[in-house]
Amino acid sequence: MQLEGGIVEAIGGTPLIRLGRLFKNQPFEVYGKMEWMNPGGSAKDRPALFMLREAIRRGEVTRDSVIIESSSGNLAISLAQLCCYLGLRFICVVDPRTTEQHKQIIRSFHGEIDLVTEPDPETGEFLPARIRRVGELVEQIPNAYWTNQYGSPDNAKAHMETTMSEIGEQLGPIDYLFCGVSSCGTIRGCMEYIRSCGWSTQIVAVDAEGSVIFGGEKGSRRFPGLGAGITPGLYRHDVADLVMYVSDLDCVEGCRALVRSEAILAGASSGGVISAIRKMSGIIPEGAVCAAILPDRGERYLNTVYNDEWVLKEIGSNPSTWQGRQEYDLFTR
């Protein structure tokens, strides 16, 4: 069994676009890595491919295997697509924060949903509960295989060998990298590439308020794919030079500004990355070249990020009043 050809060949090689309108009055340049243009719709296509391909090479995954993973949504879609291509059964353990759109896409690829409805009693977080459920399924199901995005070196390797390599080939030794964090696979891989090249790049981790990855105070988070309730196994203390925290509202505002200025419909974590750059705009030096990884598509957030009623109800801000507001216009002033 080999994982190659067909849809697999479309993974990676995503465009790098200068966000010249969004940051038109800033003295630095920002380039967005359009990871949502992967066939599965997110940056998670890359580690899904690497983790499965390497597991097949090692003989850990065969035609009889059942692939199991815990995911907030995007990696599950990527694995579901690749397992569908391979003809393998795939089960994804999710929690209530996973959007209906994500779950529908997973099912469309013949993936199965296993929903954890209650958080871990000790931590109050869903992630430990999801991982515990994965362990139960692995014990119960013959030939089950956990890809383990939280601890697999292949997760980080995917981004070292492809994502950051592609950015380097196009932009050279960039001054800043802005990267959202969750499993820490993307930022870990990018960091390892940057350090191996000897670049002086400032790596900025964009984390969600309420995430504990970098020692922040635990709190609620409405959007999947940004932040974590526990420290991931791929985390390292030197994975970033600076951490920028963004709120749920920051994510929404960043997404809306990205659409308004660049006609790019991206997901919540992309909005967080954009807002982090905005927050740092006063200290980024003139002439600096910044790369921003925009992880996934916005269609999966039409009922949340791009829904005015949801934003007003859940976040307490009315998007219809944003036009002309000073903070919202910081992107284009």
Side-chain angles (χ1 to χ4, degrees):
M1 183 171 62
Q2 293 183 320
L3 186 50
E4 59 184 22
I7 196 66
V8 176
E9 301 301 319
I11 295 175
T14 55
L16 193 64
I17 298 174
R18 183 177 178 186
L19 305 180
R21 293 183 175 184
L22 188 57
F23 297 100
K24 65 180 180 181
N25 294 323
Q26 298 293 350
F28 51 83
E29 297 178 358
V30 179
Y31 293 84
K33 184 65 167 160
M34 306 286 109
E35 285 301 281
W36 49 270
M37 295 184 74
N38 279 300
S42 81
K44 296 294 188 179
D45 279 11
R46 298 176 187 264
L49 174 59
F50 266 65
M51 289 189 293
L52 282 177
R53 181 179 280 165
E54 287 302 296
I56 292 170
R57 182 186 62 80
R58 292 189 296 262
E60 297 167 355
V61 168
T62 69
R63 295 191 182 280
D64 297 322
S65 296
V66 177
I67 307 302
I68 300 176
E69 184 57 282
S70 157
S71 170
S72 58
N74 282 330
L75 181 68
I77 290 173
S78 300
L79 285 171
Q81 183 177 47
L82 292 176
C83 287
C84 182
Y85 183 72
L86 288 169
L88 298 178
R89 183 184 176 192
F90 171 63
I91 303 172
C92 180
V93 179
V94 302
D95 63 51
R97 285 183 304 184
T98 302
T99 71
E100 287 303 317
Q101 289 94 332
H102 281 88
K103 288 186 282 188
Q104 288 172 11
I105 297 169
I106 293 165
R107 293 189 182 105
S108 296
F109 285 122
H110 303 287
E112 302 171 33
I113 300 293
D114 191 292
L115 178 64
V116 171
T117 58
E118 297 296 329
D120 174 59
E122 293 184 9
T123 65
E125 294 289 335
F126 278 104
L127 181 53
R130 288 187 351 224
I131 293 175
R132 183 166 55 250
R133 178 57 179 160
V134 167
E136 293 172 355
L137 292 173
V138 169
E139 288 292 323
Q140 295 169 7
I141 299 173
N143 302 312
Y145 179 82
W146 179 25
T147 42
N148 189 10
Q149 63 163 319
Y150 312 103
S152 172
D154 294 323
N155 184 349
K157 183 180 179 182
H159 296 290
M160 178 180 180
E161 294 191 3
T162 67
T163 312
M164 196 62 223
S165 175
E166 291 168 16
I167 293 173
E169 288 171 1
Q170 292 185 258
L171 297 178
I174 58 175
D175 299 295
Y176 289 85
L177 174 71
F178 289 84
C179 180
V181 292
S182 182
S183 71
C184 286
T186 306
I187 198 167
R188 169 79 176 265
C190 290
M191 178 273 289
E192 291 179 350
Y193 180 92
I194 288 169
R195 301 299 183 240
S196 70
C197 292
W199 296 352
S200 59
T201 305
Q202 290 289 296
I203 302 174
V204 182
V206 181
D207 200 3
E209 291 182 359
S211 169
V212 304
I213 295 175
F214 295 93
E217 185 176 348
K218 184 170 64 175
S220 62
R221 306 183 313 280
R222 290 178 177 82
F223 297 121
L226 191 64
I230 61 175
T231 303
L234 290 174
Y235 167 81
R236 272 178 34 178
H237 71 279
D238 60 347
V239 78
D241 300 296
L242 181 67
V243 180
M244 291 293 295
Y245 287 97
V246 292
S247 66
D248 293 333
L249 181 57
D250 288 331
C251 293
V252 174
E253 288 188 339
C255 285
R256 302 273 185 127
L258 194 56
V259 170
R260 188 183 71 244
S261 297
E262 303 285 355
I264 294 173
L265 192 73
S269 54
S270 297
V273 169
I274 293 299
S275 286
I277 300 173
R278 180 199 67 180
K279 290 183 178 186
M280 284 188 58
S281 61
I283 63 173
I284 298 176
E286 183 176 355
V289 175
C290 309
I293 296 177
L294 307 182
D296 68 348
R297 294 176 183 166
E299 289 92 337
R300 296 164 187 180
Y301 304 87
L302 293 179
N303 293 334
T304 55
V305 170
Y306 298 101
N307 184 305
D308 288 0
E309 293 181 1
W310 185 92
V311 174
L312 178 60
K313 178 182 178 182
E314 297 295 330
I315 300 181
S317 185
N318 187 353
S320 66
T321 66
W322 292 357
Q323 196 67 29
R325 200 179 77 190
Q326 183 179 7
E327 309 93 272
Y328 197 54
D329 285 348
L330 277 175
F331 291 98
T332 54
R333 275 197 313 183

